[in-house]
Amino acid sequence: MKILMVLTSHDKLGNTGAKTGFWLEEFAAPYYVFKDAGAEITLASPRGGQPPLDPKSDDPASQTEATRRFKEDPAARADLAGTRRLAEVSAGDFDAVFYPGGHGPLWDLAEDASSIALIETMLAAGKPVAAVCHAPGVLRHPKTADGSPVVRGKAVTGFANSEEQAVGLTEVVPFLVEDMLRDNGARYSKAANWQAHVVTDGLLITGQNPASSEPAARALLAKLT
Protein backbone atom coordinates (compact mmCIF):
# COMPACT_ATOMS: atom_id res chain seq x y z
CA MET A 1 0.00 0.00 0.00
CA LYS A 2 1.30 3.39 -0.98
CA ILE A 3 -0.42 6.24 0.83
CA LEU A 4 0.14 9.94 0.23
CA MET A 5 -0.48 12.28 3.16
CA VAL A 6 -0.93 15.94 2.18
CA LEU A 7 -0.34 18.65 4.78
CA THR A 8 -0.85 22.40 4.73
CA SER A 9 1.94 24.95 4.27
CA HIS A 10 -0.20 27.84 5.60
CA ASP A 11 0.67 29.27 9.04
CA LYS A 12 -1.35 32.50 9.45
CA LEU A 13 -4.74 32.42 11.18
CA GLY A 14 -6.43 35.04 9.03
CA ASN A 15 -5.73 38.58 10.25
CA THR A 16 -5.59 37.63 13.94
CA GLY A 17 -1.79 37.65 14.16
CA ALA A 18 -1.99 34.12 15.55
CA LYS A 19 -0.38 31.06 14.00
CA THR A 20 -2.09 28.02 12.51
CA GLY A 21 -1.05 25.02 10.44
CA PHE A 22 -1.80 21.31 10.67
CA TRP A 23 -3.25 19.65 13.78
CA LEU A 24 -0.72 17.25 15.30
CA GLU A 25 -3.14 14.48 16.34
CA GLU A 26 -4.74 14.48 12.88
CA PHE A 27 -1.34 13.76 11.36
CA ALA A 28 0.21 11.51 14.00
CA ALA A 29 -2.68 9.11 14.58
CA PRO A 30 -3.24 8.30 10.87
CA TYR A 31 0.52 8.19 10.24
CA TYR A 32 0.93 5.37 12.74
CA VAL A 33 -2.25 3.57 11.65
CA PHE A 34 -0.75 3.42 8.16
CA LYS A 35 2.80 2.70 9.30
CA ASP A 36 1.76 -0.12 11.62
CA ALA A 37 -0.23 -1.67 8.77
CA GLY A 38 2.93 -1.79 6.66
CA ALA A 39 1.99 0.99 4.28
CA GLU A 40 4.59 3.03 2.42
CA ILE A 41 3.89 6.64 3.38
CA THR A 42 4.86 9.72 1.38
CA LEU A 43 4.35 13.20 2.85
CA ALA A 44 3.73 16.26 0.69
CA SER A 45 2.75 19.91 1.14
CA PRO A 46 2.33 22.87 -1.23
CA ARG A 47 5.74 24.38 -0.38
CA GLY A 48 7.55 21.19 0.60
CA GLY A 49 9.80 20.92 3.64
CA GLN A 50 8.57 21.31 7.21
CA PRO A 51 4.83 22.06 7.39
CA PRO A 52 3.74 24.53 10.09
CA LEU A 53 2.28 22.99 13.24
CA ASP A 54 -0.76 24.65 14.80
CA PRO A 55 0.68 25.60 18.20
CA LYS A 56 -2.60 24.84 19.97
CA SER A 57 -2.33 21.22 18.87
CA ASP A 58 0.95 21.07 20.79
CA ASP A 59 -0.71 22.03 24.09
CA PRO A 60 -0.45 19.41 26.85
CA ALA A 61 -4.25 19.00 26.81
CA SER A 62 -4.17 18.05 23.12
CA GLN A 63 -1.62 15.25 23.45
CA THR A 64 -2.52 11.64 22.72
CA GLU A 65 -0.69 8.34 22.57
CA ALA A 66 0.01 8.99 18.87
CA THR A 67 1.39 12.52 19.39
CA ARG A 68 3.64 11.32 22.21
CA ARG A 69 4.88 8.48 20.01
CA PHE A 70 5.61 10.96 17.22
CA LYS A 71 7.67 13.20 19.49
CA GLU A 72 9.82 10.23 20.48
CA ASP A 73 10.27 9.05 16.86
CA PRO A 74 13.24 10.80 15.18
CA ALA A 75 12.59 9.03 11.85
CA ALA A 76 8.98 10.27 11.74
CA ARG A 77 10.04 13.82 12.65
CA ALA A 78 12.64 13.76 9.88
CA ASP A 79 9.99 12.44 7.48
CA LEU A 80 7.71 15.36 8.35
CA ALA A 81 10.52 17.91 8.03
CA GLY A 82 11.19 16.79 4.46
CA THR A 83 7.76 16.78 2.81
CA ARG A 84 7.81 16.74 -0.98
CA ARG A 85 6.36 19.62 -2.97
CA LEU A 86 2.79 18.71 -3.85
CA ALA A 87 3.17 19.87 -7.45
CA GLU A 88 5.92 17.28 -7.92
CA VAL A 89 3.99 14.19 -6.83
CA SER A 90 1.96 12.03 -9.19
CA ALA A 91 -1.40 10.50 -8.34
CA GLY A 92 -0.39 7.42 -10.30
CA ASP A 93 2.25 6.57 -7.68
CA PHE A 94 -0.25 6.12 -4.86
CA ASP A 95 -3.15 3.90 -3.85
CA ALA A 96 -4.84 6.50 -1.64
CA VAL A 97 -4.49 10.01 -0.25
CA PHE A 98 -5.16 11.28 3.28
CA TYR A 99 -5.50 14.95 4.27
CA PRO A 100 -4.92 15.83 7.96
CA GLY A 101 -6.72 18.95 9.16
CA GLY A 102 -5.93 22.01 11.18
CA HIS A 103 -7.16 25.41 10.00
CA GLY A 104 -4.29 25.83 7.52
CA PRO A 105 -5.86 23.78 4.67
CA LEU A 106 -8.79 26.23 4.43
CA TRP A 107 -6.41 28.86 3.09
CA ASP A 108 -4.00 26.90 0.90
CA LEU A 109 -5.01 23.32 0.08
CA ALA A 110 -8.67 24.21 -0.56
CA GLU A 111 -7.54 26.52 -3.37
CA ASP A 112 -4.37 24.69 -4.50
CA ALA A 113 -4.48 23.64 -8.17
CA SER A 114 -2.21 20.65 -7.56
CA SER A 115 -4.42 19.41 -4.73
CA ILE A 116 -7.59 19.88 -6.76
CA ALA A 117 -6.08 17.95 -9.68
CA LEU A 118 -4.79 15.23 -7.36
CA ILE A 119 -8.23 14.64 -5.85
CA GLU A 120 -9.94 14.62 -9.24
CA THR A 121 -7.36 12.18 -10.65
CA MET A 122 -7.46 9.84 -7.65
CA LEU A 123 -11.24 9.61 -7.64
CA ALA A 124 -11.41 9.15 -11.41
CA ALA A 125 -8.94 6.26 -11.08
CA GLY A 126 -11.05 4.57 -8.41
CA LYS A 127 -8.68 5.44 -5.56
CA PRO A 128 -9.94 6.59 -2.14
CA VAL A 129 -9.56 10.11 -0.79
CA ALA A 130 -9.78 10.73 2.96
CA ALA A 131 -9.85 14.02 4.86
CA VAL A 132 -10.43 14.85 8.51
CA CYS A 133 -11.67 17.87 10.50
CA HIS A 134 -10.96 21.04 8.44
CA ALA A 135 -9.34 19.06 5.63
CA PRO A 136 -12.67 18.19 3.95
CA GLY A 137 -12.34 21.83 2.88
CA VAL A 138 -10.05 20.47 0.15
CA LEU A 139 -13.20 19.07 -1.49
CA ARG A 140 -14.46 22.59 -2.20
CA HIS A 141 -13.41 22.80 -5.87
CA PRO A 142 -12.70 19.29 -7.27
CA LYS A 143 -15.18 18.22 -9.93
CA THR A 144 -16.26 14.95 -11.52
CA ALA A 145 -15.89 14.32 -15.24
CA ASP A 146 -19.32 15.88 -15.86
CA GLY A 147 -18.34 19.09 -14.05
CA SER A 148 -20.32 18.63 -10.85
CA PRO A 149 -18.74 18.86 -7.37
CA VAL A 150 -17.23 15.54 -6.27
CA VAL A 151 -19.25 15.79 -3.03
CA ARG A 152 -22.62 16.33 -4.71
CA GLY A 153 -25.04 13.70 -3.45
CA LYS A 154 -22.35 12.15 -1.25
CA ALA A 155 -22.65 11.50 2.46
CA VAL A 156 -19.84 13.44 4.15
CA THR A 157 -18.79 15.12 7.37
CA GLY A 158 -16.21 17.69 8.44
CA PHE A 159 -15.61 20.31 11.13
CA ALA A 160 -19.06 21.43 12.23
CA ASN A 161 -20.28 25.02 12.35
CA SER A 162 -20.96 24.49 16.06
CA GLU A 163 -17.34 23.40 16.60
CA GLU A 164 -16.00 26.44 14.72
CA GLN A 165 -18.23 28.62 16.88
CA ALA A 166 -16.93 26.88 20.01
CA VAL A 167 -13.32 27.75 19.12
CA GLY A 168 -14.32 31.33 18.29
CA LEU A 169 -13.15 31.36 14.68
CA THR A 170 -16.41 31.55 12.72
CA GLU A 171 -15.58 35.09 11.57
CA VAL A 172 -11.89 34.34 10.95
CA VAL A 173 -11.92 31.35 8.59
CA PRO A 174 -12.31 31.96 4.82
CA PHE A 175 -15.29 29.59 4.74
CA LEU A 176 -17.11 27.17 7.03
CA VAL A 177 -16.52 23.52 6.14
CA GLU A 178 -20.06 22.42 6.98
CA ASP A 179 -21.65 25.23 4.95
CA MET A 180 -19.36 24.62 1.96
CA LEU A 181 -20.15 20.91 1.85
CA ARG A 182 -23.89 21.58 2.04
CA ASP A 183 -23.64 24.32 -0.60
CA ASN A 184 -21.88 21.87 -2.94
CA GLY A 185 -24.78 19.43 -2.64
CA ALA A 186 -23.31 17.00 -0.13
CA ARG A 187 -25.40 15.16 2.43
CA TYR A 188 -23.65 16.44 5.54
CA SER A 189 -23.97 14.80 8.95
CA LYS A 190 -22.31 15.38 12.30
CA ALA A 191 -22.06 14.02 15.81
CA ALA A 192 -21.98 16.11 18.99
CA ASN A 193 -19.06 18.53 19.20
CA TRP A 194 -15.68 16.77 19.59
CA GLN A 195 -17.17 13.26 19.30
CA ALA A 196 -15.70 10.87 16.73
CA HIS A 197 -17.72 10.70 13.53
CA VAL A 198 -16.51 9.18 10.25
CA VAL A 199 -18.51 8.82 7.04
CA THR A 200 -17.59 6.62 4.09
CA ASP A 201 -19.43 7.04 0.80
CA GLY A 202 -17.82 5.26 -2.13
CA LEU A 203 -14.27 6.54 -2.44
CA LEU A 204 -14.75 9.50 -0.09
CA ILE A 205 -13.90 9.10 3.59
CA THR A 206 -14.40 12.10 5.87
CA GLY A 207 -13.95 12.66 9.61
CA GLN A 208 -15.51 15.44 11.66
CA ASN A 209 -12.81 16.49 14.13
CA PRO A 210 -9.53 15.45 15.83
CA ALA A 211 -11.23 12.52 17.58
CA SER A 212 -12.14 11.20 14.13
CA SER A 213 -8.59 11.07 12.79
CA GLU A 214 -7.67 7.53 13.81
CA PRO A 215 -11.03 5.97 12.82
CA ALA A 216 -10.90 7.83 9.49
CA ALA A 217 -7.45 6.36 8.84
CA ARG A 218 -8.74 2.89 9.70
CA ALA A 219 -11.67 3.41 7.31
CA LEU A 220 -9.18 4.27 4.57
CA LEU A 221 -7.13 1.16 5.33
CA ALA A 222 -10.29 -0.92 5.09
CA LYS A 223 -10.69 0.32 1.50
CA LEU A 224 -7.19 -0.88 0.64
CA THR A 225 -7.14 -4.29 2.31
Side-chain angles (χ1 to χ4, degrees):
M1 293 179 292
K2 295 184 176 180
I3 300 175
L4 176 65
M5 296 184 73
V6 181
L7 296 107
T8 183
S9 293
H10 185 87
D11 68 351
K12 293 181 178 62
L13 191 61
N15 297 318
T16 63
K19 293 291 189 183
T20 189
F22 73 94
W23 197 262
L24 185 56
E25 160 71 5
E26 295 168 26
F27 165 72
Y31 180 87
Y32 287 115
V33 167
F34 302 147
K35 189 176 182 67
D36 292 346
E40 182 181 319
I41 305 167
T42 299
L43 307 181
S45 62
R47 294 181 194 164
Q50 175 72 53
L53 175 67
D54 186 314
K56 289 191 174 178
S57 74
D58 212 18
D59 287 348
S62 298
Q63 301 318 296
T64 64
E65 183 180 341
T67 64
R68 287 187 284 270
R69 180 178 172 186
F70 173 74
K71 290 179 179 180
E72 296 171 1
D73 185 344
R77 294 203 310 274
D79 205 11
L80 182 66
T83 69
R84 295 174 58 187
R85 286 190 66 243
L86 183 56
E88 296 170 0
V89 302
S90 170
D93 294 337
F94 303 99
D95 300 309
V97 60
F98 188 98
Y99 285 82
H103 281 88
L106 298 185
W107 277 275
D108 64 349
L109 289 170
E111 309 299 328
D112 186 273
S114 296
S115 178
I116 294 165
L118 172 71
I119 292 167
E120 291 176 344
T121 304
M122 295 292 284
L123 294 175
K127 297 176 180 180
V129 172
V132 68
C133 199
H134 285 89
V138 305
L139 302 173
R140 187 182 195 186
H141 296 302
K143 302 285 195 291
T144 61
D146 68 3
S148 59
V150 295
V151 297
R152 181 175 292 171
K154 296 288 188 181
V156 297
T157 189
F159 204 62
N161 288 354
S162 55
E163 290 171 319
E164 203 68 81
Q165 187 172 8
V167 297
L169 295 174
T170 301
E171 303 302 324
V172 173
V173 293
F175 63 93
L176 294 168
V177 174
E178 177 181 338
D179 284 356
M180 178 278 291
L181 292 168
R182 292 185 189 278
D183 290 346
N184 276 355
R187 294 182 290 117
Y188 178 89
S189 66
K190 63 182 177 180
N193 286 4
W194 321 120
Q195 299 304 303
H197 181 56
V198 175
V199 177
T200 300
D201 190 339
L203 297 171
L204 286 179
I205 299 159
T206 46
Q208 181 178 328
N209 46 34
S212 310
S213 54
E214 183 173 327
R218 296 199 181 282
L220 181 62
L221 267 189
K223 285 279 182 189
L224 299 176
T225 53

